[in-house]
Amino acid sequence: MIAVRKLSRRYGATRALTGVSFDVPAGETMVVFGPNGSGKTTLLKAMVGLLRPTSGEVLIEGKTPRAVRGRLGYLGNELYLYPHLTVAENLALFARLYDRDAAGATRALEAVGMAHKAESLAHTLSRGEGRRVAVARATLHDPDYLLVDEPFSGLDEASATALPGILLREGRTVVIATHDVDRGKAIADRIITLERGRAQVP
């Protein structure tokens, strides 16, 4: 499970998160709602180990995020794609980082409907296409824990509808931050709302 305990993060005098605590049991999907500036992105980055908390902690199976990073997947607002590599080259690079073969990268592209763009340079993709490739990048190693920031942003209706089937699988623990209340509620086992860096758990 994921345990977030009294998590706080400051940027200078600005409090992005203040004493946030919650649990995500293994295999469940938690959806985080909140307006822009509420701390959703900061929360996810702290949970995946990209930001160091000012105080508090995140534990995954009792360990720090960095200790289990090979089992983590993260899809942020940034696509984390190398612009002057092809789509296939990007996925092959990340597959090697996770000790996966090229076939896994190909399957991930097929799953998001982007196999036809395999030889396109990443910087030539539309925002929606880049987002779909980033989903493939985040899931190609079949992570046990997946954290996703605004997954439906920039996607057309068909892609947004198909996305939960790619992100969610039996046994995977997922945390999703989104503005899309209807889609978020449809896939959530648990919900929290962030308001000015403080969590409200129903």
Side-chain angles (χ1 to χ4, degrees), residues 107-182:
R107 287 192 297 270
L109 276 181
E110 291 172 346
V112 298
M114 289 296 289
H116 66 292
K117 289 284 188 174
E119 299 309 315
S120 298
L121 294 176
H123 75 86
T124 68
L125 301 175
S126 69
R127 173 65 181 174
E129 290 172 338
R131 195 73 176 161
R132 286 156 67 187
V133 173
V135 171
R137 175 197 56 73
T139 58
L140 65 84
H141 60 302
D142 193 22
D144 294 318
Y145 297 90
L146 181 61
L147 290 86
V148 188
D149 196 359
E150 297 294 350
F152 306 108
S153 175
L155 297 182
D156 58 35
E157 183 65 23
S159 297
T161 299
L163 186 59
I166 298 168
L167 300 180
L168 311 181
R169 67 148 169 79
E170 185 176 356
R172 175 180 285 162
T173 307
V174 181
V175 180
I176 294 175
T178 181
H179 285 103
D180 194 324
V181 174
D182 290 338

